[in-house]
């Protein structure tokens, strides 16, 4: 930098660079200096050149790339130093602080050992490794088919599970092969991903078993110690244990975070207990692995959160987040039901409360029961006025129809509901509520009407099979709960005096009739659970049809009874006192 005080121009400041070679002669240098000084005013050029030429020492700029290239060239010129070790030679003495060269020497010895096996490795070691994986695979599928029979009958589910396990294995091999220093990320991410996906798609017990088996496969593949397996099992156990259900969008992310923290803590313990702390920088590497495991758990939660829609479609499952969206009253199908079949919509609301409470009583999925109840009668939208709850005291359209024609309309709402569910893309689990909420029960009102007409000589003898719903029967506890709630609520509306004792007898009679009719044969509902469901339904019905106090009258001062629940015209269940007695089982 040159600063010159000019008498007329004032201070002149200029910074410039001039590369000077140590071998350059002084005359040539002077010419270059005068050429560079031409950028200053003419009066100052001689002064500037004289100042620069007083001490023209050369200086140097550091070039990192050139330096690295010259070092590598010099390294390549040096002859390689080979050291030969005989059998039983000591490679590294005990107590020595291991250097990077010592570690490379030990790794070279290990490679030389496996190379020395030759054909033994081809014919014994590799087949034995394949055999171990075969044994693990047999155990995996034995457990899967034993505790989740759907995998054996549903090809799509079985294929999805196989692809998920193979994808996890491929990620482990590829990731660790490319970045072995990040093994606490490449080795834990696939296993944690598999466990969380299966916990969402199936249940906690199945996901825990599959995650543990996948951790065993990772240990065999990477040839890692048991300490690494403990880290994997900690992550799997924490994730599965905290994921009984996915009710909010942050659930999976929080599960991933806590799983990562648990894996990070175990990584520290395992590293301090089993890693060679005498190696320089080993403590730093242990800390890095712990942070990496924590970040991997959190990242896995974020990945699964983004994959949830694809997981639901691939495994054909419905998470609680989807159910909560379907339970929104602004759903187009629920809005149509409220506008076109208001009575059915109100019936569905009451049924949703009953089914939800009954499901909670036996530990079933209460949210699924509630949503299933909201959509179970959507088929009545097509012909709402043929159902009693929508007639509002008006004329009964079935009075002018033959019993068989009425049955076709009544049972047709199941078929129409399934078609509408497919049109609005409702999940399969919700469609099952629609098609099974009547099972294969008998439409008693019109069957008895047809028998009376036959006895009166005005019609053929009715075939009971023609007066039954098409089914299928409930295949889940939740669907069975809805069937019982639907029948009990409809029958309770026909009671003139719905006292607690009559409601209890009505619900018990309804449950016994469904049980004896074989409607619960295809679901895993026990008699103990059935008893709890009866008590819950009775309690809810008692809250709906509770007794009212008498209000004082303006005429004569006599109290008048409060209005009882309105019974609308239309096909109803026979009154409780008119039904045949059914013995309890």
């Amino acid at each position: 930098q040159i600063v010159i005080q000019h008498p007329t121009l004032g201070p002149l400041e200029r910074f410039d660079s001039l590369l000077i070679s140590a071998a350059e002669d002084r005359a040539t240098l002077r010419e270059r200096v005068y050429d560079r000084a031409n950028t200053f005013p003419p009066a100052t050029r001689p002064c500037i050149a004289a100042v620069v030429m007083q001490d023209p020492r050369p200086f140097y700029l550091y070039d990192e790339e050139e330096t690295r290239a010259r070092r590598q060239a010099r390294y390549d010129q040096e002859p390689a130093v080979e050291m030969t070790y005989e059998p039983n030679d000591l490679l590294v003495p005990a107590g020595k602080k291991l250097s990077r060269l010592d570690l490379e020497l030990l790794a070279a010895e290990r490679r030389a050992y496996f190379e020395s096996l030759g054909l033994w490795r081809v014919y014994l070691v590799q087949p034995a490794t394949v055999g171990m994986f075969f044994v693990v695979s047999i155990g995996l599928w034995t457990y899967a088919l034993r505790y989740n029979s759907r995998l054996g009958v549903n090809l799509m589910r079985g294929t999805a599970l196989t692809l998920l396990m193979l994808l996890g294995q491929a990620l482990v091999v590829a990731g660790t092969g490319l970045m072995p220093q990040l093994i606490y990320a490449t080795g834990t991410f696939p296993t944690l991903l598999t466990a969380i996906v299966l916990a969402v798609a199936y249940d906690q017990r199945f996901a825990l078993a599959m995650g543990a088996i996948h951790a065993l496969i990772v240990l065999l593949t990477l040839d890692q110690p048991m300490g690494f397996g403990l880290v994997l099992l900690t992550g799997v156990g924490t994730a599965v244990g905290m994921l009984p259900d996915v009710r909010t969008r942050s659930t999976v992310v929080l599960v991933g975070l806590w799983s990562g923290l648990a894996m990070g803590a175990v990584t520290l313990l395992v590293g301090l207990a089993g890693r060679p702390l005498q190696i320089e920088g080993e403590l730093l590497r242990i800390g890095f692995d712990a942070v990496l495991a924590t970040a991997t758990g959190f990242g896995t939660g974020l990945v699964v959160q983004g994959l949830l829609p694809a997981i639901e479609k691939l495994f054909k499952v419905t998470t609680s987040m989807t159910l909560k969206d379907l339970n929104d009253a602004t759903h187009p199908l629920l809005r149509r039901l409220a506008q076109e079949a208001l009575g059915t919509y109100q019936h569905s609301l009451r049924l949703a409360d009953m089914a939800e409470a009954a499901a909670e009583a036996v530990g079933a999925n209460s949210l699924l029961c509630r949503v299933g109840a909201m959509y179970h009668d959507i088929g009545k939208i097509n012909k709402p006025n043929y159902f009693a709850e929508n007639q509002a005291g008006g004329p009964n359209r079935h009075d002018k129809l033959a019993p068989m024609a009425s049955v076709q309309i009544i049972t047709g709402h199941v078929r129409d509901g399934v078609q509408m569910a497919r049109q609005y893309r409702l999940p399969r689990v919700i469609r099952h509520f629609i098609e099974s909420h009547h099972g294969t029960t008998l439409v008693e009102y019109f069957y008895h009407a047809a028998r009376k007409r036959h006895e009166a000589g005005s019609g053929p003898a009715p075939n009971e099979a023609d007066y039954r719903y098409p089914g299928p029967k409930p295949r889940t506890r939740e669907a069975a709960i809805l069937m019982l709630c639907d029948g009990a609520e409809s029958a309770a509306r026909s009671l003139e005096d719905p006292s607690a004792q009559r409601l209890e007898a009505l619900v018990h009679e309804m449950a016994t009739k469904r049980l004896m009719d074989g409607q619960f044969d295809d679901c895993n509902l026990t008699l103990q659970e059935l008893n709890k469901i009866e008590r819950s339904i009775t309690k809810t019905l008692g809250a709906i049809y509770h007794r009212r106090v008498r209000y004082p009258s303006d005429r004569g001062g006599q109290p008048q009874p409060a209005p009882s629940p309105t019974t609308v015209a239309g096909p109803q269940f026979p009154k409780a006192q008119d039904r045949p007695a059914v013995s309890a089982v």
Side-chain angles (χ1 to χ4, degrees):
Q1 183 179 10
I2 301 174
V3 181
I4 299 175
Q5 185 68 29
H6 194 270
T8 58
L9 301 177
L12 300 177
E13 182 176 347
R14 185 70 55 86
F15 176 82
D16 212 338
S17 61
L18 184 65
L19 296 179
I20 302 175
S21 174
E24 191 171 13
D25 61 279
R26 193 172 183 83
T28 305
L29 177 60
R30 183 181 292 107
E31 293 179 1
R32 295 177 59 199
V33 170
Y34 272 100
D35 290 340
R36 191 61 56 87
N38 287 335
T39 58
F40 288 88
T44 62
R45 295 172 188 173
C47 179
I48 292 173
V51 171
V52 174
M53 291 301 297
Q54 285 180 0
D55 188 17
R57 291 179 300 175
F59 60 91
Y60 303 91
L61 296 177
Y62 178 70
D63 190 337
E64 184 177 359
E65 294 183 0
E66 182 65 21
T67 301
R68 187 184 300 110
R70 292 187 182 185
R71 285 178 179 176
Q72 184 64 37
R74 180 63 177 170
Y75 176 81
D76 295 338
Q77 291 177 0
E78 291 294 327
V81 178
E82 295 184 359
M83 299 180 64
T84 303
Y85 293 89
E86 299 294 334
N88 299 322
D89 283 353
L90 182 62
L91 300 181
V92 180
K96 179 185 177 183
K97 188 174 182 179
L98 297 177
S99 63
R100 183 61 57 184
L101 181 60
D102 294 330
L103 295 176
E104 292 178 359
L105 178 61
L106 294 176
E109 189 274 337
R110 179 179 176 84
R111 290 193 299 270
Y113 167 73
F114 282 111
E115 291 175 359
S116 67
L117 294 177
L119 295 178
W120 289 100
R121 178 175 176 82
V122 176
Y123 292 109
L124 291 180
V125 178
Q126 292 181 351
T129 303
V130 174
M132 288 191 299
F133 280 102
F134 179 76
V135 170
V136 173
S137 301
I138 292 296
L140 184 150
W141 277 105
T142 300
Y143 183 90
L145 296 177
R146 172 65 178 82
Y147 293 102
N148 206 310
S149 58
R150 292 180 297 174
L151 294 171
V153 298
N154 192 320
L155 179 62
M156 185 62 185
R157 285 182 177 270
T159 303
L161 176 62
T162 303
L163 292 177
L164 181 63
M165 301 294 284
L166 292 178
L167 176 62
Q169 178 74 354
L171 289 176
V172 168
V173 173
T176 307
L178 294 174
M179 297 172 291
Q181 70 278 11
L182 302 180
I183 190 173
Y184 278 86
T186 59
T188 58
F189 170 75
T191 301
L192 198 59
L193 177 67
T194 300
I196 294 179
V197 168
L198 293 178
V200 173
Y202 294 97
D203 56 71
Q204 290 175 288
R205 182 178 69 175
F206 184 76
L208 182 62
M210 294 296 103
I213 293 176
H214 195 276
L216 178 60
I217 294 175
V218 171
L219 285 183
L220 294 176
T221 302
L222 301 182
D223 195 19
Q224 288 296 306
M226 287 303 300
F228 188 77
L230 182 60
V231 174
L232 290 175
L233 291 178
T234 300
V236 170
T238 305
V240 174
M242 295 182 62
L243 202 61
D245 200 2
V246 184
R247 286 186 173 264
T248 62
R249 300 192 180 278
S250 61
T251 299
V252 179
V253 178
L254 291 176
V255 166
L257 176 60
W258 284 108
S259 301
L261 291 174
M263 289 195 300
V266 175
T267 300
L268 281 176
L269 296 177
V270 170
L272 295 174
R275 300 273 285 271
L277 302 180
Q278 65 273 20
I279 299 179
E280 183 179 359
E282 193 65 22
L283 285 174
L284 184 61
R285 281 187 285 272
I286 293 175
F288 174 77
D289 290 341
V291 173
L292 190 62
T294 303
T296 300
F298 180 68
T300 305
L302 292 176
V303 171
V304 175
Q305 176 63 40
L307 293 177
L308 268 181
I311 294 172
E312 292 190 44
K313 291 183 179 180
L314 181 63
F315 289 93
K316 298 185 182 301
V317 297
T318 304
T319 64
S320 293
M321 286 195 304
T322 302
L323 292 178
K324 291 174 70 175
D325 292 339
L326 292 174
N327 195 41
D328 191 349
T330 61
H331 190 280
L333 201 50
L334 293 183
R335 293 182 65 181
R336 282 192 61 189
L337 184 64
Q339 294 170 359
E340 302 177 30
L342 181 58
T344 300
Y345 181 73
Q346 295 299 324
H347 162 69
S348 299
L349 287 175
R350 291 194 296 270
L351 212 61
D353 294 334
M354 294 174 58
E356 184 177 25
E360 291 178 353
V362 296
N365 192 331
S366 58
L367 180 59
L368 178 60
C369 275
R370 183 174 189 85
V371 178
M374 291 301 300
Y375 288 89
H376 79 288
D377 267 347
I378 57 174
K380 294 181 179 180
I381 293 177
N382 290 342
K383 297 181 178 68
N385 294 327
Y386 283 89
F387 297 91
E389 66 268 19
N390 298 312
Q391 292 174 359
N396 188 352
R397 297 195 177 190
H398 292 278
D399 293 341
K400 298 181 179 180
L401 297 177
M404 192 63 200
S406 296
V407 166
Q408 294 295 328
I409 296 175
I410 295 298
T411 59
H413 84 276
V414 175
R415 179 184 62 255
D416 295 342
V418 173
Q419 293 177 354
M420 295 180 70
R422 289 196 177 99
Q423 177 184 353
Y424 282 83
R425 297 183 179 180
L426 295 184
R428 179 66 184 87
V429 66
I430 302 300
R431 296 204 302 268
H432 180 59
F433 283 94
I434 299 172
E435 65 190 8
S436 68
H437 71 277
H438 286 296
T440 57
T441 56
L442 180 68
V443 187
E444 297 181 9
Y445 183 90
F446 294 111
Y447 177 69
H448 290 302
R451 287 184 59 182
K452 289 181 179 180
R453 294 184 65 175
H454 172 65
E455 293 171 358
S458 59
N463 182 6
E464 183 176 314
D466 296 334
Y467 286 82
R468 285 185 175 272
Y469 282 93
K473 299 177 182 178
R475 291 191 290 266
T476 63
R477 292 189 302 170
E478 291 79 8
I481 290 172
L482 179 64
M483 167 187 277
L484 192 55
C485 290
D486 188 28
E489 197 275 338
S490 300
R493 282 190 277 116
S494 67
L495 293 179
E496 294 180 357
D497 182 18
S499 62
Q501 293 77 12
R502 290 191 175 186
L503 288 175
E504 182 179 0
L506 174 66
V507 173
H508 180 68
E509 179 185 350
M510 184 65 61
T512 304
K513 182 182 294 186
R514 296 288 186 266
L515 180 64
M516 299 301 296
D517 197 25
Q519 299 301 318
F520 302 143
D521 290 350
D522 296 340
C523 62
N524 55 346
L525 190 66
T526 65
L527 291 177
Q528 184 180 17
E529 292 173 338
L530 185 59
N531 181 259
K532 292 180 180 179
I533 294 170
E534 288 182 35
R535 289 185 301 199
S536 175
I537 294 176
T538 302
K539 182 178 179 181
T540 307
L541 286 176
I544 296 175
Y545 299 105
H546 61 275
R547 288 181 177 271
R548 274 81 168 179
V549 298
R550 290 180 177 268
Y551 297 96
S553 174
D554 293 334
R555 291 174 295 180
Q558 296 296 324
Q560 298 295 324
S564 60
T566 302
T567 303
V568 296
Q572 301 285 348
F573 285 93
K575 294 182 180 180
Q577 59 268 27
D578 298 333
R579 296 192 185 95
V582 182
S583 302
V585 179

